[in-house]
Amino acid sequence: MRVLITGAAGFLGSHLCDRYLAEGHEVIGMDNFITGHPDNIAHLVERPDFRFVEQDVTKFIQVDGPVGGVLHFASPASPIDYLEKPIQTLKVGSLCTHNALGLAKAKGARFLLASTSEVYGDPKVHPQPESYWGHVNPVGPRGVYDEAKRFAEAMTMAYHRYHGVETRIVRIFNTYGPRMRPADGRVVSNFIVQALRGDPISIYGEGSQTRSFTYVDDLVEGIYRLFQSDRAEPTNVGNPGEFTIRELAAAVLDLTGSTSQLTHLPLPEDDPKVRQPDIAVARVVLGWQPRVPLLEGLQKTIPYFQQLVEREGAVARTL
Ligand SMILES: NC(=O)c1ccc[n+]([C@@H]2O[C@H](COP(=O)([O-])OP(=O)(O)OC[C@H]3O[C@@H](n4cnc5c(N)ncnc54)[C@H](O)[C@@H]3O)[C@@H](O)[C@H]2O)c1
């Protein structure tokens, strides 16, 4: 099958390209590098079964020839990125999703939307099942991302119901692994880079807020299975193991052998206090569950940041 992956030069998009190519598919990667990097796909560009198109997906998408799948991953994804690029983030969730769905409809392709646990906002139900409608502040600073993704889900369901497009929606929970940008401000990359450099580990608030962390290989497996399935409703894919931010900091310090101290910064506005996926649906419908525990995933991730710190003097960024 020939698949189009938008956001192909990003963290998740590049791993998806690897997986689809490894499964014998032909991949067209599309990206405008707004938060991605050519290095993430440098190992693919010479392959005959991979083609890269540099394009802003908010503009009309034209692809010649057959396309059997559209995996829509283009979007700024870290709070630092979407707070700095609020309009692009809203446009990517709305216009890009519309364009990508239009291409899927025209080609008779199956469409998969990369949605997010942020559609649950600061949740009042814990853990979060797919049936929970969420608790989002539409006019807060984070609303640009959360509402863009909620709109994208609504648009995807409308194309499914009205145009009969085969659609899938994955609600992705906090995922980490090699190819994250060291300065994208996400908690795992920040802590690892800060620990490796001996810089203070920046904790927002007391660090008692919880998050669930999914290793990228587990996520890609869940997405691959969801795409193959016949489930059109949104599906959580994430690791239900729940850790406080302080616990994550302790694990990173331990694994890196760092002597960095903890430093506390103000809690960002509308920051969720808890976050944990209910993955009962993924277990039953996809036969999927995460396999990589946090410590093992961190061990696989640290060497990637180590070489960036040593080679480029990579630094973390905080809000
Ligand atoms: N990483 C996570 O933990 C996580 C969690 C939930 C949802 N997601 C979703 O997964 C997707 C990928 O996230 P990521 O972590 O790989 O982020 P990323 O920033 O590494 O990748 C996003 C990619 O999209 C590209 N892009 C953005 N706007 C574009 C546009 N208008 N045209 C073309 N390309 C554009 C960027 O250049 C980048 O390469 C996003 O849709 C994100 O919302 C990620």
Side-chain angles (χ1 to χ4, degrees):
M1 187 181 29
R2 205 158 168 250
V3 299
L4 171 72
I5 299 179
T6 73
F11 163 47
L12 298 181
S14 63
H15 283 280
L16 271 180
C17 290
D18 289 345
R19 176 62 187 263
Y20 274 82
L21 290 166
E23 297 285 345
H25 302 292
E26 205 181 314
V27 174
I28 305 161
M30 196 171 273
D31 205 297
N32 66 350
F33 299 120
I34 188 171
T35 56
H37 200 283
D39 281 356
N40 289 338
I41 47 167
H43 60 295
L44 301 179
V45 288
E46 298 297 329
R47 286 181 65 134
D49 47 0
F50 180 77
R51 184 160 77 87
F52 180 72
V53 181
E54 185 171 346
Q55 193 193 313
D56 180 347
V57 186
T58 56
K59 307 283 187 305
F60 180 77
I61 308 172
Q62 167 114 33
V63 177
D64 293 332
V67 176
V70 176
L71 293 103
H72 180 36
F73 277 69
S75 172
S78 87
I80 278 194
D81 288 335
Y82 60 73
L83 294 175
E84 273 181 4
K85 302 173 178 69
I87 312 290
Q88 289 97 323
T89 302
L90 283 160
K91 283 171 78 173
V92 106
S94 51
L95 305 181
C96 282
T97 305
H98 188 209
N99 285 338
L101 278 161
L103 181 80
K105 175 171 169 271
K107 299 284 184 183
R110 188 174 287 180
F111 176 86
L112 184 142
L113 172 70
S115 186
T116 171
S117 57
E118 300 291 339
V119 299
Y120 300 123
D122 188 5
K124 298 293 174 215
V125 171
H126 189 66
Q128 296 82 52
E130 289 86 349
S131 54
Y132 177 50
W133 291 354
H135 180 238
V136 171
N137 174 3
V139 294
R142 299 174 74 106
V144 296
Y145 183 67
D146 305 2
E147 294 295 2
K149 290 291 185 183
R150 288 164 70 99
F151 176 89
E153 288 197 3
M155 178 72 98
T156 301
M157 290 309 293
Y159 263 69
H160 175 64
R161 293 194 182 108
Y162 187 72
H163 287 309
V165 174
E166 271 195 70
T167 57
R168 311 284 178 263
I169 298 174
V170 57
R171 290 188 178 152
I172 301 169
F173 284 67
N174 211 330
T175 302
Y176 67 98
R179 301 193 198 144
M180 295 177 86
R181 257 174 37 247
D184 79 357
R186 288 187 255 203
V187 64
V188 174
S189 46
N190 265 4
F191 284 7
I192 294 177
V193 171
Q194 289 164 337
L196 289 171
R197 292 173 54 88
D199 293 342
I201 306 285
S202 51
I203 296 199
Y204 299 122
E206 287 305 307
S208 52
Q209 66 274 38
T210 66
R211 295 292 184 271
S212 312
F213 303 103
T214 311
Y215 186 65
V216 62
D217 290 356
D218 279 337
L219 179 84
V220 167
E221 178 64 30
I223 290 171
Y224 196 80
R225 288 182 189 214
L226 177 62
F227 187 83
Q228 306 284 88
S229 79
D230 58 6
R231 182 178 161 84
E233 296 77 25
T235 307
N236 289 341
V237 176
N239 192 326
E242 190 181 12
F243 297 86
T244 66
I245 294 300
R246 289 184 80 92
E247 286 170 333
L248 175 69
V252 170
L253 286 173
D254 189 39
L255 290 172
T256 53
S258 170
T259 53
S260 289
Q261 301 296 306
L262 304 186
T263 179
H264 293 270
L265 304 177
L267 209 53
E269 199 176 330
D270 298 330
D271 196 49
K273 284 170 252 341
V274 288
R275 187 53 67 67
Q276 186 194 18
D278 179 332
I279 58 162
V281 169
R283 280 188 212 274
V284 173
V285 178
L286 311 180
W288 176 88
Q289 61 181 14
R291 306 247 167 242
V292 183
L294 181 64
L295 292 186
E296 186 185 326
L298 290 174
Q299 273 167 336
K300 289 170 181 257
T301 307
I302 288 168
Y304 169 77
F305 286 108
Q306 179 112 43
Q307 44 109 10
L308 289 184
V309 167
E310 284 167 8
R311 200 180 63 206
E312 299 166 12
V315 280
R317 254 171 94 208
T318 52
L319 285 169

